[in-house]
Amino acid sequence: MFYHGGHKKVSELSKQVFDSFTPEEKIQRFASGYSIPKKYTKEESFQHLRAKMAVQRKPEKQSRRIIYYWAAAASVLLIISFVSVFAVFAPTKVLTANGEHTAFDLPDGSEVFLNAGSKIKYAERSFKQKRVLKLQGEAFFLVQKGSPFLIKTSRGTVEILGTSLNVFSRDNRFEVSCLTGKVKVSSNGHSEIITPGERTALENGTLVKYSGEPVDNMATWRFGVYHFVQTPLISIFDELERQFDVKIYGTGFENRLFTGNFSNQKLNEILDTICLPMGLAYEIKDGNKVRIYKKTE
Amino acid sequence: MAIQVSLKKDKTAAGIDAEAFERLFESYYEEIQHYIYYKCSDTDLTEDIAQETFLKIWEIRETIRPETVRALLYTIAGNLFVNKYKHNKVVMKMNHSVWSEQSFETPEFEMELKEFDQHLQRAISGLNEKNRVVFLMNRIDNMTYVEIAQNLGITVKAVEKRMKKALESLRSQIELKF
């Protein structure tokens, strides 16, 4: 036998056996051994899909009409003033306000998912030739294969040698997680290469590498899921300020650490989860201010 | 074949959740990729359409009936394909397990098989699209005629016919050489 049943296991095929087959048998049996070339591994495809799933798409018809209006408006503007031609050379900026996420494609087809309160700048015209962008805040990238892809932040530079990763750069914190492929991170003249499941963070001025984190736990903000492990309450409140566009202030949470998960919950549910075990209480004022204080029995 | 067991679990509920969606991806992503590849032999386009197909399913997940989702995947992928595909010549570039799993008695025999492989891939590429899809779903994805008929929304008789036509055409191509 050439192949057994459904399984594509080849038993040694001799010339004698092959010659004994009719042409139809040769075709049928040989064709069962084919496999199909793929652009990505199944895991990579799933990562890509999950990233897209997190972003609600607008109904197509509506957006198409808007594009026509914009196109009309844009052409009128171009005719009236050629000063605007210079605007083309200005870097493109994409911003998210607090409480807002966005997703967009770069000129080379790479995809960016921008977390709340973040900013990306790049040169629209030359991006395809030179893939460089500046990031403030946090973003997840699905990078198309091709020339080196550089992400510059105030604390360090990320060079992508693969396909998907998360970059966090706010205040003093700089952290990069790799989901697929390979990433090179440089800061202060030191560099680290990280592979899937690894992340590197800037600590006291040097990059420290961590491994063993499940890829599924990384960059979960895209799905509204947050994991905190021994994280200062101050940074958790910072994150909540960005996600819900509120101000959080008060006392009793300095130098304290929290471990826990949140997924697509309301602000008061999350605050309950944090405050209760920490012996804290909160009150929400004017819908957008949160005062935290020590619970006194 | 093991796939159908996992689907039965969902049968009571209308709509699917994230977990069921992940199982759907696990079960059917590859066969949808294959379905599109059989039509166009373009890996980039194949990946695009497979992604788009599953994204569409995700967007309408609340209205999906799990027992018909597999055929729905094929329908969506097929429609997307019609919209996106610019008719280029199909040139299949498939790998064959014989090259990785077997050693050959003589180099001459290896050459003969290589040549057979090339001729067969060329002949498959030259098939009428519908016949090619059915033939390869049967051969590569190990689907029965009944499964193919359900997935493509055609009758079993039609599957038999396409299979027969594919084989006839391939045989006439191959017999010239072998």
Side-chain angles (χ1 to χ4, degrees), chain A residues 143-157:
Chain A
V143 176
Q144 285 286 328
K145 286 188 180 136
S147 60
F149 188 106
L150 286 177
I151 301 166
K152 292 189 169 170
T153 76
S154 57
R155 295 276 144 188
T157 298

Side-chain angles (χ1 to χ4, degrees), chain A residues 163-177:
Chain A
T163 45
S164 67
L165 75 157
N166 191 65
V167 180
F168 183 105
S169 169
R170 298 183 194 276
D171 307 322
N172 285 330
R173 232 179 104 202
F174 176 50
E175 202 177 301
V176 182
S177 323

Side-chain angles (χ1 to χ4, degrees), chain A residues 3 15 30 34 42 57, chain B residues 26 59 96 105 112 117:
Chain A
Y3 299 106
K15 177 155 175 60
F30 200 87
Y34 282 129
K42 204 171 174 185
R57 287 195 293 186
Chain B
E26 198 46 55
E59 284 167 350
H96 200 285
E105 320 151 83
E112 187 188 334
D117 182 12

Side-chain angles (χ1 to χ4, degrees), chain A residues 38 43 45 52 71 87 108 139 154 196 232 277 295:
Chain A
K38 301 279 160 65
E43 289 72 44
S45 290
K52 291 179 204 155
D108 68 333
S154 57
K295 211 194 269 176

Side-chain angles (χ1 to χ4, degrees), chain A residues 2-3 5-16 18-19 23-24 26-50 52-57 60 216, chain B residues 21-22 25-26 29-30 33-34 37-38 43-44 47 51-52 54-56 58-59 93-99 101-103 105 109 112-113 116-117 120-121 124 135 138-140 142 163 167 170-171 174-175 178:
Chain A
F2 194 166
Y3 299 106
H7 277 278
K8 289 176 195 161
K9 199 169 161 71
V10 180
S11 47
E12 286 290 291
L13 173 65
S14 66
K15 177 155 175 60
Q16 201 192 350
F18 187 68
D19 286 346
E24 186 163 309
K26 283 181 187 170
I27 292 165
Q28 291 265 38
R29 288 161 193 266
F30 200 87
S32 307
Y34 282 129
S35 56
I36 304 304
K38 301 279 160 65
K39 190 176 181 185
Y40 301 114
T41 65
K42 204 171 174 185
E43 289 72 44
E44 284 169 342
S45 290
F46 192 59
Q47 286 295 337
H48 292 195
L49 189 64
R50 270 182 75 163
K52 291 179 204 155
M53 279 157 58
V55 179
Q56 285 284 326
R57 287 195 293 186
E60 238 171 65
D216 280 350
Chain B
F21 181 82
E22 197 166 338
F25 178 90
E26 198 46 55
Y29 195 72
E30 278 176 307
Q33 283 179 316
H34 289 184
Y37 184 84
Y38 299 156
T43 44
D44 284 352
E47 183 64 28
Q51 290 269 316
E52 191 73 21
F54 276 81
L55 201 56
K56 280 246 160 79
W58 173 250
E59 284 167 350
K93 288 198 183 90
M94 298 176 289
N95 303 315
H96 200 285
S97 53
V98 81
W99 313 126
E101 292 177 18
Q102 158 138 21
S103 55
E105 320 151 83
F109 180 50
E112 187 188 334
L113 273 186
F116 180 82
D117 182 12
L120 185 56
Q121 293 215 32
I124 291 172
F135 174 75
N138 175 253
R139 291 289 93 197
I140 296 179
N142 289 312
M163 198 67 195
L167 273 168
L170 293 176
R171 196 176 53 208
I174 295 291
E175 262 175 353
F178 289 84

